[in-house]
Amino acid sequence: MQASVLCASLVVAVSRPDRFRAGAARVAAWMLRAGLALALGWQLGAAAQAAGGAEAAAGTAVRFGILPLGGAFESRNDWEPLLADLQRAIGRPVTMLSVTSYEALEQAIQRDQVDMAFLSGKMALDAVTLRRMKVVAQVTRHDGLPGYRALLLTRKSGPRTTLKELLAEPEGWRLARGESRSVSGFIVPQLQLFLPNHIAMETRFRSEVVGTHQVTALAVANGEADVATNNTADFERFRLQFPAEADRLQVIWESELIPHAQIVIRRGYGPEFEKKVQLFLVEYARGKGPRGDSERAVLKSLHDLAGFVAADNSSLLPAAKLAYQLARQSTMTSQWVNEAARQARLQRIEATYAEQVAALRSGAP
């Protein structure tokens, strides 16, 4: 680890432990993570704590937040080489905030403790429309597809293995899912599968575990849950890291394509700095020779990424549409005091979506 070059920090957090309702194993897992959080603390480091706002003078650390796709330690180690290269390219220190929950990263962004971040869908949309950030790049993968797919996983053998059985009696199933901000772990399965079948993920299942894609897959593989949300990119990675556990699992449902994650940066750095960051990302791993090979190896460890392409806020239009569709469908299937209240809610959803679309297209957020 290049500790002298890159000051890495780690936050271990648990999202909504009250959701871990069933099973001593899940309670024990929560206690383990909570204990780890207390042991590690919030180690942002003196440089990061002194950074202040995005308008800080040149030389102040740029604080990079990482979307929790696997374990926090794993994410930190995977991102460290790329962020060390970014530090050299921009001539400023780069510190890292690696967390285990979407909520922890969202809170850090709200508290202005993150200047750049790797975010997907809803979190990137909120960062741009609510937290004065903007998109500078979007990731690409070797398969050439413009996105990935959400998945549902079950064990290959056992009493509950098929989609038909799941939709017929969700009350008998134990669910392992992503946080409510997770596109593939919650939003898309809810929107494209469960709500159309009159199933609300939060209330219809026997019990639920909420965690990263790695946590959800392991929960099903180890018999702690019956079905898990996941996605094609992370399940490929899971197969490499946990081959024995992956061999116990099968895919019973796939979603439509979901756009890839974005790199966002806090507004206020200025166009020259933004262009420097964007150029670094776009050119990363594109060169020939040993340096290019080394950078490609770095990206391969980052969920098998192929690289980055230049992007702006308009790349979040699909995410805005997904959020709009989920809000509308949830409103249509929920119980209301009267129809007038439902229609009022629908009107607010339409107005919010129209404002988001206009802002994302103009670059105004």
Side-chain angles (χ1 to χ4, degrees):
M1 292 171 35
Q2 305 174 34
S4 61
V5 178
L6 183 64
C7 177
S9 59
L10 174 64
V11 175
V12 178
V14 177
S15 174
R16 304 190 67 170
D18 58 305
R19 289 287 190 182
F20 288 67
R21 300 195 292 258
R26 288 188 291 279
V27 175
W30 176 82
M31 292 177 67
L32 176 61
R33 288 194 292 274
L36 182 59
L38 290 173
L40 291 174
W42 188 292
Q43 299 179 0
L44 289 177
Q49 293 178 11
E55 296 80 4
T60 301
V62 176
R63 301 160 298 176
F64 193 99
I66 300 170
L67 183 71
L69 298 180
F73 287 108
E74 175 191 349
S75 295
R76 180 192 63 188
N77 292 334
D78 288 345
W79 277 92
E80 189 176 51
L82 186 146
L83 296 184
D85 290 340
L86 173 63
Q87 175 174 274
R88 287 188 287 270
I90 63 177
R92 298 176 67 156
V94 177
T95 63
M96 179 174 16
L97 177 63
S98 179
V99 300
T100 60
S101 76
Y102 286 67
E103 184 176 358
L105 183 54
E106 173 66 22
Q107 290 174 354
I109 294 172
Q110 290 179 12
R111 290 192 292 260
D112 290 337
Q113 293 172 330
V114 174
D115 304 310
M116 289 182 62
F118 168 66
L119 303 174
S120 66
K122 185 63 166 62
M123 286 197 71
L125 179 65
D126 289 346
V128 166
T129 58
L130 302 176
R131 304 299 170 195
R132 297 184 63 250
M133 303 189 86
K134 65 185 298 185
V135 176
V136 293
Q138 189 167 23
V139 304
T140 61
R141 288 178 57 82
H142 291 290
D143 56 22
L145 294 175
Y148 58 102
R149 299 181 189 275
L151 303 175
L152 285 185
L153 306 174
T154 66
R155 290 175 68 94
K156 292 178 179 177
S157 60
R160 297 178 179 86
T161 60
T162 70
L163 182 61
K164 183 178 179 180
E165 292 170 323
L166 170 63
L167 298 180
E169 192 182 6
E171 294 84 357
W173 291 60
R174 298 168 299 167
L175 172 68
R177 66 169 176 88
E179 298 176 56
S180 60
R181 298 169 181 82
S182 172
V183 177
S184 61
F186 180 83
I187 294 175
V188 168
Q190 179 92 310
L191 173 64
Q192 295 184 8
L193 177 66
F194 290 115
L195 287 182
N197 285 280
H198 309 288
I199 299 170
M201 290 174 67
E202 310 97 309
T203 59
R204 287 290 298 279
F205 289 88
R206 173 180 158 191
S207 63
E208 66 178 13
V209 173
V210 179
T212 65
H213 298 302
Q214 183 181 104
V215 167
T216 61
L218 283 173
V220 175
N222 294 329
E224 297 173 357
D226 302 309
V227 61
T229 61
N230 218 278
N231 68 58
T232 49
D234 281 282
F235 192 45
E236 287 176 11
R237 187 177 179 86
F238 185 82
R239 288 184 183 279
L240 296 175
Q241 296 174 317
F242 303 94
E245 289 80 1
D247 193 52
R248 303 172 198 158
L249 302 175
Q250 64 177 348
V251 176
I252 62 168
W253 176 81
E254 290 189 0
S255 74
E256 299 172 8
L257 278 177
I258 303 168
H260 288 307
Q262 284 93 356
I263 302 291
V264 300
I265 188 170
R266 190 171 298 282
R267 290 173 176 271
Y269 274 105
E272 183 177 345
F273 182 79
E274 291 172 4
K275 285 294 184 183
K276 184 181 292 187
V277 170
Q278 187 179 67
L279 183 63
F280 163 80
L281 292 170
V282 171
E283 292 185 347
Y284 197 79
R286 306 292 186 188
K288 299 179 179 179
R291 179 176 176 179
D293 293 340
S294 175
E295 292 175 350
R296 283 184 283 275
V298 168
L299 289 183
K300 186 171 181 61
S301 71
L302 284 175
H303 313 284
D304 198 25
L305 300 183
F308 304 89
V309 295
D312 57 28
N313 291 345
S314 64
S315 66
L316 289 171
L317 287 170
K321 185 175 182 179
L322 281 175
Y324 158 74
Q325 290 173 329
L326 178 61
R328 181 175 175 80
Q329 195 162 120
S330 297
T331 301
M332 294 300 295
T333 56
S334 298
Q335 294 184 347
W336 292 81
V337 175
N338 53 52
E339 186 59 25
R342 186 198 306 274
Q343 291 302 320
R345 172 60 178 159
L346 289 172
Q347 290 177 6
R348 290 195 296 273
I349 292 171
E350 294 289 345
T352 298
Y353 178 55
E355 292 172 0
Q356 284 184 340
V357 169
L360 292 174
R361 286 175 174 167
S362 67

